[in-house]
Each structure stands twice: as C-alpha cells, then as structure tokens.
Amino acid sequence: MSAAGPRPVSIFDVAKRAGVSHQTVSRVINDAPMVADATRARVKAAIADLGYRPNRSARTLAGGAVRSVTVFTFDTSLYGTAETLRGIEDAASAAGFTVLISVLDPEQTYTEGDILARLSHDGAPAIVIAHDETTTQARRVLRNAQPGAVVATGDDQLGREPDAADWLVPLDDRAVAKRATKYLLSMGHRTVHYLAMPGKARRQDGWAEALAEAGVEPPEVVQSGWTIGSAAEAAAGLVADSEVTAIMCGNDDLAFGVLHAAHRAGRGIPGDLSVIGCDDSPMAAYHVPGLTTMDLDFRGVGRSAFELLRHKLEGGPDPRPSWRSPELIVRETSGPPRH
Amino acid sequence: MSAAGPRPVSIFDVAKRAGVSHQTVSRVINDAPMVADATRARVKAAIADLGYRPNRSARTLAGGAVRSVTVFTFDTSLYGTAETLRGIEDAASAAGFTVLISVLDPEQTYTEGDILARLSHDGAPAIVIAHDETTTQARRVLRNAQPGAVVATGDDQLGREPDAADWLVPLDDRAVAKRATKYLLSMGHRTVHYLAMPGKARRQDGWAEALAEAGVEPPEVVQSGWTIGSAAEAAAGLVADSEVTAIMCGNDDLAFGVLHAAHRAGRGIPGDLSVIGCDDSPMAAYHVPGLTTMDLDFRGVGRSAFELLRHKLEGGPDPRPSWRSPELIVRETSGPPRH
DNA sequence: GTATCAACCGTGAGCGCTAACATTTCCTCG
DNA sequence: CGAGGAAATGTTAGCGCTCACGGTTGATAC
C-alpha cells in the first residue's frame, strides 16, 4: 500500500514507537555496538510492528557504507557474461549489496561522460565484465576516473596494465587458448585454424603462441560475430576446405556454428575435422557429438570480482582468488586427423 | 579521481560557476521550462567544465520522478529470462532509467519482508519475470504491497488474477503449448507426452487441453529440472519406450536433453520420435537436426513490461503491447510417426 | 505613469539517513 | 564516597537534490 498510501515509515517513526532517538534506531539497523540488548530488542520489535524498511537512497546519500555495485557488461544473454553476472549477484546479495546492471551496446561508441553517467553517483563502485572493445573502454574510463572503486574481469592483459592484480580478475584467455591449441596439435594436426569472435584478442594470441612454439606458420584468422549463425556463415569456407583438419573456436557458440556448417558440408566429425570450443557451456556436454572444450569457471570469476571490489572498499584481509582453473574437457568433436 | 579525491562537484558548484542559483541548475538538468536560453547555455557550459554528474540517490530522496526499476528474476542465465531482462534493459536505459536486478533462488523460500527488503526503498517500481514458484510468489507480494508500482511478465493467469491487463504482460503459455501439441497431433501421433519443467503449470495446461480436445487421455507428465542434464535423465524412460512417438518439452533446453537421451537410446529423429521445444533459442536453428519449437519474443515482452510500468508511473497514453506473437517453427525434429 | 501579468530566477525547507560530537548513566576503584 | 571512565543514548548538522513558494524583472495594457 505504500506506493500510493501515506508516507512510508521512517527511522523517526520507529524511534518514537520504541521510545528512543532516531540515532539509536540507526545503530540497530546497522548492527552497531553500544546498544543495550534490551533497547535493541525493543527497537527490533518496533521495526517489525511498523514494517519499517530502510531507504537505500537516504543511506548512500548520508554517506554510510556503500551497498551497491554497478555491473557493466555487453550482452547478458551470452553464456559467459550471464554466468559471471550470476556469480557477482550471488556474492553481492549474500553481502547485502544491491547490483545494478548497465548494458553497453557493442555497436555504439560511448564518451567518457556517457559511461560515467551510468553510475548512480560519482565514485560509485563498479565491476566491468570486459569481453569486447566497448566494455574494455569502459574499464579504462572507470579505472581512470575512480581507481579505488573499480574491478574488472575478462581479457587478461597482465604485463600491459599496471597493478592489474589489484583490480583485475583475469581469466588468462591466452593460456586457455594455448592449451586448447596444443592439445589439437598433439593429436597430430599439422596446423590449427582459428575462428575469432570480436574483441577477444588474447585468445587469438594464445592460439598463435602455441603454433609458434610448434614451429608452424599460423594460418589466416577467420573472423566471426558473436552468434551461432554468424559463425556458421563465417566458417563456411573453412569447412569446405579439405586441407583444414582442426578448428579452434573463440567460444562454444561459435563451435556449434562450425559444427553445423561442417555437417552441411558433409564433413565427418572428428574424422575429417576436429573442432574445439571454449567455455564449456551446458550444451557442450549434450550436443551430439559432445563438444570438446575448455571449462571456464565464470561464476567463480564473478564471485571473486565482487570479493575483490569489496576488499578495495572495506579493506580487510586479501581475498584469495577462488575459481576453478580452466581445464580441457575432451569429448567427441576432436581426435587425430585421418590420413 | 572522485572516489578518493575531494568531494564530487554538486549542483551548488555548478551554480556558483554559472552565476545562478542551484535551483536554476536543477531546472536545466531536468529540462524544465522557464529558463532563458542564455542562462541555460551558461549552466550547460559550467556543467561541462566541471564535469558535473547528478547524484541519483539525492534525486530519488528529494522525491523527484522515479528513475529506476528493480527486476526480480530467478536465473539470469536461462535463455528466456536473459532475453526478457535484455528487453527491459533496452527500454529502460533508452528512457534514462537505471535497472537493478534481484535474483531469487528457487531453492529458497522468502518471506514477504525478504522480498520487500530488496527494493531500494519503499514503493520502488519493480518488474517481476515470473517463470517459477518463487518469482510468482514475489509477484504476489509486490502486487499486494504496492500495486501502483509493479508489473510482471510470465505465466498467463488471466481470469484468475483481477485486472491482469493493468500489470501483467502475459505470454499466454497455455496457448503456446496448445498450439505445439495440436501440431504434433495433426502429424498423426496418437498422443503426445509432456516433459515438464518446474513451476510452469500453464504450459502443461495447454498441452492437456489440446489432448482433451482431440479426445485423448493425457499420459503421465514427466517432471524435469531446468537443466539439459536433468532433462536427459528425466526423459530416459520415455525415450526407451517405443510406444512413445512424440514428446513436447517445456523449453528448448529440455528438448536438447531429450534429443540427447534419444540418441543414446538409438531412436531415430524424427522417424521414431518427434520432439518439440519451446522458446526458439539460438541453438534451435543450428542443432543437428534442427529443433522444431515455438518462437517467443521474450525481448519484446521485456520491453513491453517496461513500457507498461512506465505508463503506470507517469501516466500518458496506453502503451500498445508490441511483441511478436508466438509462432510455430517447424524444423527437423518433428514429423509423422512411422508405422 | 501605474496596474497587470507573464517569464524568469532565487530562497527556504525537507526527503531519510549517518557522522561526529555532546550528554547522561552507571559501574569501578583508590 | 567522590573521581574517573566506559557504556549507552541523545543532539545537531549535513549529504545533494527537488518542491513549493516568493521575489524580481520587463513588456504590455489602459
């Protein structure tokens, strides 16, 4: 009834009811010490009676502890971002934080002001799930504007960005891609082709690195969009080429696209062509044939990102990063080439 | 720099710089009339110079127009909810609204207080993406507490809930499931089995209704969880039974699980078994074989939900609901039964 | 030249809360 | 038994903004 009804109950109403000052009520709802048990109980009863609920705007305005995070991301319906978001949400709500999301459109360019304007206020804490150009730019902007209140996940750029450990939960995409490529190479493939999604340069780097170490000249990268459909289209040429025996894909969705294209082209999997994905999305295990891929713990990364942010905000012991490390999962889309 | 730096620039700083009162600045940032063009320009210049950005907390506290929505949902990584969320986000950010998300855990039960506490303040506008028990309960709680500021999407319960049109963007799951079932029946199947996901009773109703109209006794419903894996497991018995020639699934993910189980059981698709999903997720078109399913415009539903909420908040002309109506998409997992 | 009325702009209060400090109470100890 | 001090509570100010006014212009009308 409160929407249209009378003014919602405030801290003063509770105070009056409990026969204390409003500040005491504030202490109770903030679990502050220095309140007698009896008083605390009385206040809590009053809160329950009146159905009081604190007003977050007032709280943040008054300069109390921050209790919200803005998450910048670029597409909530992709497996990786959705899972990361979920991880952030889990950790955040457990800690009593509100999470706001701000979805950036990869097609659009944003000015610094555009991005900062999406924060609820100047200096508001933020997490950036940076998996493409646009979000990487957001990461840069936020990091410049308010280094104390930003954390990011995504493309590992360790070594290029200063103090990355303080504010970045890296996925080490390079190592992941390298591992996958090496595996394919180890199966006896002469070379491995790469189907790239937009703005994930580090995975491509890892692939190139693995090839370089094996002494093979990397073939031309084939560029795809983010959707299964775009991958199927982009890979049409690749799968038609009988010289191509192994393709590594930027993520699982792209791999499904490739598999579809390969099927249409009549190429046998994995006899004629090995395909490997990345992310281990739920579909990977149930696709027929089962998709070989890299398991990435996005949810864990999201949780860790939140913990890191919280650490920056509130201090306390260094949070140990706690996500499963990436792991190769061999299923049925990969094998030795047929001679 | 504002996080650790000096106090962020406020409306007063801008006012001083522009040589006007703070109220005039407020007028400018709110696009209010009654400000001379010259003054407006001067203020805007000052805003740009100082890099001023309004503080949302202060704005909502001071009782201005509401500019945020809290979205209640139960799993941001499912296709349907992710897309709906995306639709809401699109519309909301276009309208200058902030979107907060609040993820409810289906395993958990929430008290009325728990749910209301997730609002940023008493009476804060909310959208509920109600696809299961928990979110449906949230919908009920919010609707009771603040009918003026709640809108929901999801399971159609028209006829049972009063004034549904005012606050519900229905998906008419019943009709969708009925359509799919009728299609299967029309292919010549004696009966259609149903693999249910948790808490989507209306789809089951539609299936039962279609069977009833065809004069066939509905077989026992098989219950699944939300994941592909749980579906594969739950459907194991069904696919092993050669009497079963058609299965309709609660959504596409479940259908993929069934397809997987069928493959393992050695049943031919669609010769031995027809499978139909629901949602037309991106994978449906690229799965081999292509999944027959119902196309649902979740994104449009999300957009409409936001528009409806905005209408309730700000008045104005009735928003025309504008989402594509559900459509049957026939691909390769369905066909007539083999005799 | 004065009343009239827009258009424009400023002043003060207050939203609900917390920080910082002031005050009271009550126990401990020499 | 009074000084000292900690625990418990109250008081005041102010966060950044909007609302509801009140004041000031300048053009127009008579």
Side-chain angles (χ1 to χ4, degrees):
Chain A
M1 292 301 146
S2 31
R7 128 165 348 131
V9 351
S10 83
I11 206 179
F12 284 89
D13 303 318
V14 176
K16 194 165 161 198
R17 170 87 164 217
V20 297
S21 81
H22 67 111
Q23 178 60 7
T24 300
V25 177
S26 171
R27 288 190 183 100
V28 171
I29 62 180
N30 286 301
D31 279 322
M34 303 288 109
V35 179
D37 286 350
T39 316
R40 190 180 297 273
R42 203 143 33 89
V43 171
K44 283 195 168 166
I47 289 177
D49 287 356
L50 266 33
Y52 164 79
R53 265 155 305 120
N55 181 319
R56 305 214 196 216
S57 297
R59 273 164 105 143
T60 58
L61 218 213
V66 191
R67 285 194 191 75
S68 68
V69 216
T70 305
V71 179
F72 288 84
T73 176
F74 85 108
D75 188 344
T76 48
S77 54
L78 288 176
Y79 176 71
T81 54
E83 281 291 300
T84 310
L85 184 59
R86 179 69 194 277
I88 294 171
E89 223 289 334
D90 282 355
S93 66
F97 275 57
T98 298
V99 6
L100 297 83
I101 65 171
S102 186
V103 177
L104 266 21
D105 180 353
E107 307 288 294
Q108 221 169 312
T109 52
Y110 298 88
T111 68
E112 193 175 319
D114 289 341
I115 289 168
L116 293 174
R118 284 163 170 259
L119 293 172
S120 66
H121 62 270
D122 227 343
I127 296 179
V128 185
I129 305 177
H131 289 299
D132 73 336
E133 301 290 343
T134 309
T135 42
T136 301
Q137 191 218 341
R139 171 170 114 181
R140 201 159 35 233
V141 168
L142 287 164
R143 172 136 175 75
N144 279 332
Q146 43 181 53
V150 180
V151 154
T153 75
D155 226 17
D156 156 47
Q157 307 221 343
L158 281 169
R160 284 201 241 159
E161 311 227 25
D163 304 329
D166 282 357
W167 64 278
L168 185 67
V169 179
L171 216 37
D172 206 348
D173 281 315
R174 220 195 72 264
V176 168
K178 190 171 173 180
R179 173 87 184 79
T181 310
K182 283 196 146 177
Y183 157 73
L184 251 18
L185 254 16
S186 78
M187 296 302 280
H189 295 274
R190 288 240 183 85
T191 188
V192 173
H193 290 255
Y194 184 66
L195 183 69
M197 57 206 171
K200 266 287 200 186
R202 302 298 277 174
R203 287 193 182 166
Q204 183 174 329
D205 290 352
W207 161 78
E209 213 173 297
L211 290 184
E213 286 182 14
V216 341
E217 183 73 14
E220 199 176 342
V221 168
V222 178
Q223 192 64 43
S224 163
W226 283 101
T227 63
I228 306 185
S230 75
E233 209 169 307
L238 222 47
V239 300
D241 182 351
S242 62
E243 294 291 303
V244 175
T245 66
I247 304 181
M248 109 144 255
C249 306
N251 70 16
D252 284 355
D253 275 350
L254 302 198
F256 294 134
V258 171
L259 257 14
H260 186 262
H263 172 77
R264 286 179 44 174
R267 302 204 61 197
I269 306 286
D272 299 330
L273 181 67
S274 282
V275 175
I276 191 167
C278 194
D279 290 0
D280 195 28
S281 61
M283 189 71 209
Y286 291 94
H287 189 268
V288 177
L291 179 67
T292 295
T293 187
M294 297 293 298
D295 169 36
L296 299 184
D297 183 15
F298 287 111
R299 207 176 282 202
V301 164
R303 266 196 303 270
S304 299
F306 177 78
E307 293 307 340
L308 182 55
L309 181 68
R310 200 179 174 198
H311 168 71
K312 295 187 74 171
L313 256 30
E314 304 174 355
D318 253 345
R320 274 155 305 87
S322 62
W323 64 94
R324 286 197 314 278
S325 41
E327 206 174 326
L328 174 69
I329 306 212
V330 178
R331 295 204 179 92
E332 303 147 26
T333 59
S334 58
R338 189 151 59 199
H339 293 286
Chain B
M1 293 300 150
S2 33
R7 124 164 352 130
V9 351
S10 83
I11 207 178
F12 284 89
D13 303 318
V14 176
K16 195 165 159 197
R17 170 87 166 218
V20 297
S21 80
H22 67 110
Q23 178 57 14
T24 300
V25 177
S26 172
R27 287 190 185 103
V28 171
I29 62 181
N30 286 300
D31 280 323
M34 302 289 110
V35 179
D37 286 350
T39 315
R40 189 181 297 271
R42 203 142 35 87
V43 171
K44 283 194 168 167
I47 289 177
D49 287 356
L50 266 33
Y52 164 79
R53 264 154 305 118
N55 181 318
R56 304 213 197 216
S57 297
R59 265 154 99 128
T60 58
L61 219 215
V66 190
R67 286 193 191 73
S68 68
V69 216
T70 305
V71 179
F72 289 83
T73 175
F74 84 110
D75 188 345
T76 48
S77 54
L78 289 176
Y79 176 71
T81 54
E83 282 290 299
T84 309
L85 185 57
R86 179 70 195 277
I88 294 171
E89 224 289 333
D90 282 354
S93 64
F97 274 57
T98 297
V99 5
L100 298 82
I101 64 169
S102 186
V103 177
L104 266 20
D105 180 353
E107 307 288 293
Q108 220 169 312
T109 51
Y110 299 88
T111 68
E112 193 173 320
D114 289 340
I115 289 168
L116 293 174
R118 284 162 170 259
L119 293 173
S120 66
H121 62 269
D122 227 343
I127 296 179
V128 185
I129 304 177
H131 289 299
D132 73 335
E133 299 291 342
T134 309
T135 42
T136 301
Q137 192 217 340
R139 171 170 114 181
R140 201 160 34 234
V141 168
L142 287 164
R143 172 132 176 79
N144 278 332
Q146 43 182 52
V150 180
V151 154
T153 76
D155 226 15
D156 156 47
Q157 306 221 344
L158 282 169
R160 285 201 241 160
E161 311 227 24
D163 303 329
D166 281 357
W167 63 279
L168 185 65
V169 179
L171 215 37
D172 205 348
D173 281 315
R174 220 194 71 265
V176 168
K178 189 169 173 182
R179 173 86 184 79
T181 310
K182 283 196 146 178
Y183 157 73
L184 251 18
L185 254 14
S186 78
M187 297 301 281
H189 295 275
R190 287 239 187 84
T191 187
V192 174
H193 290 256
Y194 183 67
L195 184 69
M197 58 204 172
K200 268 285 200 185
R202 302 299 277 174
R203 287 192 181 166
Q204 183 174 330
D205 290 351
W207 160 78
E209 213 174 299
L211 290 184
E213 286 183 12
V216 341
E217 183 73 15
E220 199 175 342
V221 169
V222 177
Q223 192 64 42
S224 163
W226 283 100
T227 63
I228 305 186
S230 76
E233 210 169 305
L238 222 45
V239 300
D241 182 350
S242 62
E243 294 291 305
V244 175
T245 65
I247 304 181
M248 109 145 255
C249 306
N251 69 17
D252 284 355
D253 275 350
L254 302 197
F256 294 135
V258 171
L259 256 14
H260 186 262
H263 173 78
R264 287 179 45 175
R267 302 204 60 196
I269 305 286
D272 297 333
L273 181 67
S274 282
V275 174
I276 191 167
C278 194
D279 289 0
D280 195 29
S281 61
M283 188 71 209
Y286 291 93
H287 188 270
V288 178
L291 178 67
T292 296
T293 187
M294 296 293 299
D295 169 36
L296 298 185
D297 182 15
F298 288 111
R299 205 174 284 202
V301 165
R303 267 197 302 271
S304 299
F306 177 78
E307 294 307 340
L308 182 54
L309 181 68
R310 199 178 175 200
H311 168 72
K312 293 185 76 168
L313 256 30
E314 304 174 355
D318 252 347
R320 294 285 90 253
S322 62
W323 64 95
R324 287 196 314 279
S325 41
E327 206 173 326
L328 174 69
I329 305 211
V330 178
R331 296 204 180 92
E332 302 147 27
T333 58
S334 60
R338 188 152 60 201
H339 294 288

